[in-house]
């Protein structure tokens, strides 16, 4: 049975500053680097064969640290990028006008085809994330991939595997460097398809690696 590990990147400067990242980028903080090291320590004995990351800098850096621990390389897949948040990217969450907050809510509340101007809908995000995950089924038999992606992107993937709407990602807490796992179940007796084994596990992060919300 194919097991796929899903890791959100380590904390970044803009995560810490409460700025919207989307497909814009900011570097990992020292805490973010430590979180990635702790993921590496946790998964180094899991037999990971491929580390596949979104092509944004924060996921690439996190993936390099994890891949070093696992002794494998990193490949990039743009389908694993965060939701494109259009004209609100780089903005402080606390600085949005009423109109801007309304645009953000179109996405958060699951308005059909809702998007921030110049951004992407949750449906579009869901389709490309599922395509990125499905690509793992083409890896050689016995592969055990680990994907490094983003908060909304991974939340959307896990929610929709569960049969929930994409915006149900708001009900999942996928913290920086949390680990989730989905398996491709082929048993005829059980429903074939992706199954969520774990979501948002942070038991490998010690206190210095936790963010404010986690303490
Ligand atoms: O700011 C964002 O884009 C999201 O809320 C979180 O994205 P991230 O997982 O890339 O930090």
């Amino acid at each position: 049975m194919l097991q796929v590990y899903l890791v959100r990147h380590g904390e970044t400067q803009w995560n810490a500053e409460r700025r919207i990242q989307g497909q814009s980028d900011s570097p990992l903080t020292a805490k973010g680097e430590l979180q990635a090291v702790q993921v590496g320590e946790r998964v180094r004995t899991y037999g990971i064969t491929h580390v596949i990351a979104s092509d944004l800098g924060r996921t690439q850096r996190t993936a390099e640290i994890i891949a070093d621990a696992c002794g494998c390389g990193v490949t990039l897949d743009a389908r694993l990028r965060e939701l494109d948040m259009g004209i609100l990217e780089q903005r402080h969450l606390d600085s949005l006008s009423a109109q801007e907050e309304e645009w953000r809510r179109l996405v958060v509340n699951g308005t059909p085809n809702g998007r921030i101007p110049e951004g992407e809908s949750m449906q579009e995000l869901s389709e490309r994330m599922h395509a990125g995950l499905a690509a793992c089924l083409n890896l050689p038999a016995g592969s055990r991939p680990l994907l490094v992606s983003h908060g909304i992107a991974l939340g959307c993937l896990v929610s929709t595997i569960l049969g929930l709407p994409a915006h149900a990602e708001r009900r999942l807490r996928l913290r920086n460097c949390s680990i989730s796992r989905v398996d491709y179940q082929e048993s005829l007796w059980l429903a074939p398809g992706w199954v969520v084994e774990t979501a948002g596990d942070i038991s490998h992060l010690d206190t210095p690696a936790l963010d404010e919300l986690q303490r």
Side-chain angles (χ1 to χ4, degrees):
M1 180 170 61
L2 177 68
Q3 300 178 350
V4 183
Y5 288 89
L6 307 173
V7 175
R8 184 179 170 205
H9 62 80
E11 182 197 74
T12 65
Q13 201 178 315
W14 291 357
N15 287 148
E17 292 172 6
R18 291 171 53 77
R19 292 175 103 91
I20 298 172
Q21 294 189 120
Q23 297 190 0
S24 305
D25 208 13
S26 72
L28 297 190
T29 59
K31 185 184 287 181
E33 298 251 340
L34 173 63
Q35 291 169 332
V37 168
Q38 293 186 343
V39 173
E41 284 166 358
R42 164 96 181 259
V43 303
R44 54 193 279 278
T45 57
Y46 286 12
I48 302 297
T49 55
H50 300 75
V51 175
I52 305 167
S54 116
D55 60 346
L56 298 175
R58 57 195 184 274
T59 33
Q60 281 194 52
R61 177 67 189 139
T62 304
E64 282 162 11
I65 294 170
I66 298 169
D68 266 1
C70 296
C72 58
V74 176
T75 54
L76 303 180
D77 186 338
R79 291 175 295 195
L80 303 181
R81 284 183 180 186
E82 182 57 303
L83 177 75
D84 183 339
M85 291 197 253
I87 62 171
L88 294 190
E89 292 194 3
Q90 310 188 23
R91 295 285 306 280
H92 243 278
L93 267 179
D94 307 322
S95 75
L96 302 185
S97 66
Q99 167 71 88
E100 290 167 339
E101 181 58 20
E102 217 170 279
W103 290 331
R104 197 183 69 84
R105 281 180 187 279
L106 288 179
V107 175
V108 172
N109 295 342
T111 305
N113 206 33
R115 68 186 72 229
I116 295 162
E118 296 175 29
E120 193 179 22
S121 72
M122 291 299 281
Q123 179 61 30
E124 289 163 341
L125 171 66
S126 174
E127 283 167 17
R128 66 174 166 82
M129 286 299 289
H130 274 270
L133 178 63
C136 295
L137 294 168
N138 300 326
L139 294 172
S143 296
R144 188 162 289 171
L146 180 149
L147 310 187
V148 184
S149 180
H150 303 266
I152 295 176
L154 289 174
C156 164
L157 183 63
V158 173
S159 301
T160 49
I161 287 172
L162 289 170
L164 297 168
H167 71 277
E169 61 83 21
R170 288 283 115 173
R171 308 266 70 85
L172 270 175
R173 190 162 285 144
L174 300 186
R175 290 172 158 138
N176 291 114
C177 275
S178 60
I179 302 176
S180 305
R181 197 184 102 195
V182 294
D183 298 344
Y184 193 78
Q185 178 171 271
E186 290 178 77
S187 151
L188 290 176
W189 175 249
L190 302 165
W194 294 104
V195 171
V196 178
E197 173 73 22
T198 41
D201 181 1
I202 50 162
S203 57
H204 48 287
L205 301 180
D206 64 15
T207 309
L210 296 178
D211 64 29
E212 287 305 316
L213 275 175
Q214 291 168 304
R215 293 207 183 107

